[in-house]
Amino acid sequence: MPDDLGLTLLRRASLDEVMACAALLERTDRKYVVPRPVVHRLVEQLAATHHVLSVAGRTSTTYRTQYVDTGDLLCVRDHIQRRRRRFKARSRLYVEDGLCRFEVKTKEPRGGTVKVQTTVGPDRFGRFGDEEAAFLEQALREAAVPGVPSLEPTVEMTYERATLVDLAGGSRVTLDAHLVATGPAGRVRLDPGFVLVETKSGASPSLADLVLRRLGQRPRSFSKYAATASLLHDHVPANDVHRLTGTALHLERISA
């Protein structure tokens, strides 16, 4: 990731250090779409309290994520309709490290997000077979989320992520750049002049949320998957996404 975001200002932290204090599999996520110069100012103001995750000398990692859903995009529609009991399921590959996980995210009744994951072989990236289906079934049962009859790969998303961590407080900030989502109907990308910033903390706003507020940034309630899928599929009723596209989300459909 080019250093116009100011990552060299931060002290580095190892993956073990990050996992020891900031697993946060139960958390509240807040999303912002932020101009790159403002992200640099955010990083500057967090330098005294936050480290940047460093893996094999890198301060960013390329993510490939393949979402699975029903043929009529039930997970997308549940998110848009804000159903209290909903889920997302995805296969995620950390490209440079060759690490692959299958992940399931569910919503708590109070609005928090719970993520469970299992490590699989990198050859299983993008696949949804018996192993993944069994893991999903157990995760949904434990979260009291209704299951679905069958799922299939839908949208694949790639982006480059840097992770900032408050080692003392346990909160995290992720910076996602160069985001492109691809499906059978075409591609959607995040405007290169913007970065998707996500804060991951408890119910109360984190220091990063407070800094972003001072910098004039507001959190946006949206899902990367639901937003991009709704732009790729005309039959998905996503008025909120379409209203914000180009002004607050800065997502654009670029080709078939």
Side-chain angles (χ1 to χ4, degrees):
M1 184 178 291
D3 196 51
D4 58 340
L5 303 184
L7 298 179
T8 56
L9 299 172
L10 300 174
R11 295 161 292 172
R12 297 190 176 199
S14 69
L15 182 59
D16 287 343
E17 289 177 298
V18 171
M19 295 306 294
C21 73
L24 280 177
L25 296 183
E26 298 186 28
R27 67 199 187 192
T28 298
D29 297 349
R30 299 174 180 87
K31 298 183 178 69
Y32 306 78
V33 181
V34 185
R36 282 180 171 269
V38 178
V39 176
H40 194 290
R41 293 174 62 191
L42 169 68
V43 172
E44 286 180 327
Q45 295 187 40
L46 294 179
T49 55
H50 286 62
H51 292 64
V52 62
L53 171 64
S54 176
V55 178
R58 305 185 317 272
T59 56
S60 65
T61 296
T62 304
Y63 282 46
R64 288 182 65 194
T65 303
Q66 175 70 65
Y67 289 88
V68 294
D69 205 338
T70 62
D72 60 352
L73 301 179
L74 175 67
C75 296
V76 173
R77 291 186 285 107
D78 281 354
H79 177 85
I80 292 170
Q81 295 167 11
R82 293 178 169 83
R83 295 189 182 277
R84 292 180 63 189
R85 292 293 186 182
R86 63 182 189 264
F87 76 95
K88 286 187 294 188
R90 64 197 184 192
S91 174
R92 170 165 286 175
L93 178 66
Y94 302 80
V95 174
E96 290 86 353
D97 305 306
L99 173 66
C100 188
R101 294 189 176 119
F102 184 75
E103 302 177 345
V104 180
K105 296 174 73 173
T106 56
K107 271 292 184 187
E108 293 182 311
R110 292 177 295 177
T113 300
V114 178
K115 181 174 75 172
V116 293
Q117 59 193 18
T118 182
T119 301
V120 297
D123 61 313
R124 295 202 62 82
F125 171 72
R127 298 169 61 184
F128 186 72
D130 292 344
E131 180 179 351
E132 292 81 9
F135 182 80
L136 172 64
E137 181 180 1
Q138 179 180 348
L140 297 185
R141 183 170 58 250
E142 292 176 352
V145 175
V148 295
S150 62
L151 299 176
E152 61 189 45
T154 52
V155 172
E156 181 177 333
M157 193 177 300
T158 64
Y159 49 87
E160 193 174 355
R161 169 170 289 186
T163 300
L164 281 54
V165 186
D166 177 355
L167 293 178
S171 62
R172 282 187 286 150
V173 184
T174 58
L175 311 178
D176 295 344
H178 314 301
L179 184 151
V180 177
T182 304
R187 292 192 297 161
V188 170
R189 73 172 180 179
L190 177 68
D191 185 313
F194 290 80
V195 174
L196 176 58
V197 178
E198 292 187 47
T199 64
K200 306 168 192 293
S201 62
S204 300
S206 66
L207 174 61
D209 292 298
L210 300 179
V211 172
L212 284 162
R213 185 180 303 171
R214 290 198 298 267
L215 294 173
Q217 305 301 305
R218 295 174 51 200
R220 302 290 177 179
S221 179
F222 73 99
S223 152
K224 292 194 293 292
Y225 171 50
T228 54
S230 67
L231 293 176
L232 289 170
H233 297 273
D234 295 335
H235 70 279
V236 176
N239 293 335
D240 289 347
V241 170
H242 290 285
R243 187 180 69 250
L244 294 174
T245 299
T247 58
L249 292 187
H250 300 282
L251 295 169
E252 55 184 346
R253 189 166 175 170
I254 54 177
S255 68

